[in-house]
């Protein structure tokens, strides 16, 4: 676990130094639906370890990004990863990979809204 924890701390240090809250906030437009799509897209491109996604999600929340966008980011960070598309294309073929990616993108948006709605409802 030590190398992984060290890598996470290093990543956070780099993230804090080079990516400011203003830069993060400028990516999002304060529209729940559009921010959710942006969060899903960013998570898909910046794919990685689930533990890191929670830390980055916290940084996004600190920067003022909506909980919907952060939820979509975390979901797609783990499930959509565009990095593995070449391997997936090779193994499963174009048609399967295209539909899996498309449906996962759409489902991530729906699950983000459902998660935030359910959480808000339960906390009332």
């Amino acid at each position: 676990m030590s190398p992984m924890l060290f890598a996470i701390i290093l990543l956070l240090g780099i993230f804090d130094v080079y990516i400011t809250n203003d830069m993060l906030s400028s990516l999002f437009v304060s529209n729940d639906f559009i921010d959710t799509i942006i969060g899903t897209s960013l998570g898909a491109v910046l794919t990685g370890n689930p533990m890191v996604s929670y830390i980055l999600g916290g940084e996004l929340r600190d920067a003022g990004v909506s909980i919907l966008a952060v939820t979509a980011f975390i979901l797609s960070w783990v499930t959509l990863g565009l990095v593995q598309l070449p391997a997936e294309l090779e193994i499963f073929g174009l048609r399967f990979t295209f539909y899996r990616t498309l449906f996962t993108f759409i489902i991530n948006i729906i699950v983000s809204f459902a998660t935030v709605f359910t959480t808000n409802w339960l906390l009332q």
Side-chain angles (χ1 to χ4, degrees):
M1 285 295 291
S2 294
M4 184 182 296
L5 291 175
F6 178 73
I8 290 170
I9 292 169
L10 182 65
L11 178 65
L12 284 177
I14 292 170
F15 191 80
D16 281 342
V17 169
Y18 292 109
I19 300 176
T20 65
N21 287 350
D22 293 334
M23 290 171 65
L24 289 174
S25 297
S26 70
L27 293 173
F28 297 90
V29 296
S30 298
N31 176 312
D32 284 342
F33 185 71
I34 294 172
D35 283 353
T36 304
I37 292 173
I38 293 169
T40 302
S41 301
L42 277 175
V45 172
L46 303 173
T47 187
N49 183 313
M51 188 164 47
V52 175
S53 71
Y54 302 132
I55 296 167
L56 291 177
E59 293 293 321
L60 289 170
R61 284 296 295 150
D62 291 344
V65 176
S66 75
I67 192 72
L68 278 167
V70 172
T71 304
F73 172 80
I74 291 172
L75 282 170
S76 64
W77 173 277
V78 176
T79 61
L80 259 175
L82 297 180
V83 173
Q84 67 255 14
L85 279 183
E88 201 171 319
L89 280 167
E90 183 69 29
I91 295 168
F92 298 115
L94 177 64
R95 184 174 177 194
F96 175 85
T97 302
F98 172 77
Y99 284 117
R100 188 210 61 87
T101 304
L102 177 66
F103 291 141
T104 303
F105 190 89
I106 293 167
I107 292 297
N108 280 344
I109 292 170
I110 293 168
V111 169
S112 296
F113 275 96
T115 301
V116 172
F117 173 78
T118 304
T119 304
N120 289 339
W121 178 73
L122 289 172
L123 294 176
Q124 287 182 3

